[in-house]
Amino acid sequence: MLKKRTALGLMAAGAGALAGLPLRSALAQAAAPYPSKALRWLVPYPAGGGSDFLARVAGLAMAADLKQPVVVDNKPGGNGAIAVADVKRSPADGYTLINIDNGIMVFNSVLYQNLGYSPEKDLQLVTLLAKGPMFLAVGPASTARDAREFIAQVRAQPGKLSFASAGAGTPQHLAMELLMKRAGLSMVHIPYKGSSPALADLVGGQVPVAITDYAAARGFFQAGKLRPLAITDAQRHPSLPDVPTFKEVGIEGMEFATMVGVAVRAGTPMEHVRALQQAVRRAIHSPEVRTKYGEFGIVPDGNTPEEFQALIGGEIKRWHPLVKELGIRLDG
């Protein structure tokens, strides 16, 4: 009987020790410093575009600073919804990042009735990487030498010319819709899965015009393969001082910046969010990243989650009524 009781006692003690393993494992994981493993950085566009450039340059500096790998993973398609869905499937632990822009956080929710995600409920903003103006650019298929000549050509052929964009609902698309509204133009939209394929067809002559961010088009501008005609800013760009603003060519209300920032899954612990914001800020303000960004005319930001949220909120108030005024719906 004594041996039986002893055996039962050992079994109970063993079961108790095993039962405590998940708790000890969870506590050990919670106590681990963040980040203690590789970070995965999703980009909702193909490699080679402006958003991809911002993430890859910052990711290298972050990896060196944090002593952890930062893996950039391109997930194009669905106007950002595919990448957002990936984030939603990932643990809310701060190890999966996503590049977000005006399209994902501002435009999509008013353009699509069935979006598949909620920017406010599914994503936690971390920080703004940078924002900057865009350029009206034409390729070899266009004979226009300046913005006034281009506008005159489009007005003379309503509905005949097409324009490329980085995708339906992207800042590049909405900027052209705004231009058509302000200038009384009519063109056919050809959406692509990112800036890289759109600009490739623009350079190749398949489409005559696009509005594009400088980071994506810089090499083509420098090589003379694309001609910038006007900038969506209140002032000229220091790298292209001969390119006028839209206001200078007689079109008001075309001040428009594309914004690229970082978010994680909603529910991520705020201490991880703040640690990530600080890590991103250190990276983008490091000398090497500032130099690389500066070559593309990009000024790094790195604001707090609260400041970024206020910025997005202001853009929603500005753009939702304007998109409704433009009469654009992308899913009926």
Side-chain angles (χ1 to χ4, degrees), residues 14-27:
L18 289 172
L21 282 176
L23 177 60
R24 285 198 294 272
S25 176
L27 289 172

Side-chain angles (χ1 to χ4, degrees), residues 89-252:
R89 290 192 299 268
S90 303
D93 55 10
Y95 285 94
T96 301
L97 297 61
I98 181 173
N99 261 16
I100 50 89
D101 58 17
N102 322 49
I104 292 172
M105 296 304 299
V106 178
F107 305 141
N108 282 357
S109 57
V110 70
L111 289 170
Y112 293 91
Q113 188 173 3
N114 301 303
L115 183 56
Y117 71 90
S118 167
E120 298 85 5
K121 295 179 181 179
D122 294 328
L123 296 173
Q124 164 65 55
L125 295 178
V126 176
T127 190
L128 175 69
L129 290 173
K131 62 179 180 179
M134 293 178 287
F135 290 86
L136 176 70
V138 294
S142 173
T143 59
R145 292 291 142 184
D146 57 45
R148 288 188 177 90
E149 186 177 354
F150 169 77
I151 290 168
Q153 289 178 353
V154 178
R155 283 176 177 161
Q157 308 171 73
K160 300 292 185 181
L161 298 178
S162 60
F163 71 91
S165 83
T170 60
Q172 294 84 349
H173 171 209
L174 268 292
M176 189 65 86
E177 294 284 356
L178 183 61
L179 174 60
M180 290 193 292
K181 177 74 172 181
R182 296 284 185 256
L185 308 178
S186 175
M187 290 187 288
V188 178
H189 179 211
I190 309 295
Y192 289 78
K193 291 183 178 180
S195 292
S196 293
L199 294 181
D201 273 8
L202 183 60
V203 170
Q206 281 80 14
V207 285
V209 66
I211 286 182
T212 178
D213 54 285
Y214 183 70
R218 172 180 176 263
F220 296 125
F221 289 159
Q222 292 180 335
K225 294 181 179 180
L226 294 179
R227 297 192 303 279
L229 304 183
I231 183 174
T232 65
D233 201 3
Q235 56 190 12
R236 297 190 180 199
H237 197 282
S239 299
L240 295 169
D242 295 331
V243 178
T245 67
F246 276 101
K247 186 174 182 179
E248 288 178 301
V249 298
I251 301 175
E252 299 280 353

Side-chain angles (χ1 to χ4, degrees), residues 42-68:
L42 297 172
V43 175
Y45 304 105
S51 183
D52 179 72
F53 167 79
L54 289 170
R56 290 183 185 276
V57 172
L60 285 173
M62 280 179 62
D65 176 38
L66 297 172
K67 306 296 188 293
Q68 296 292 345

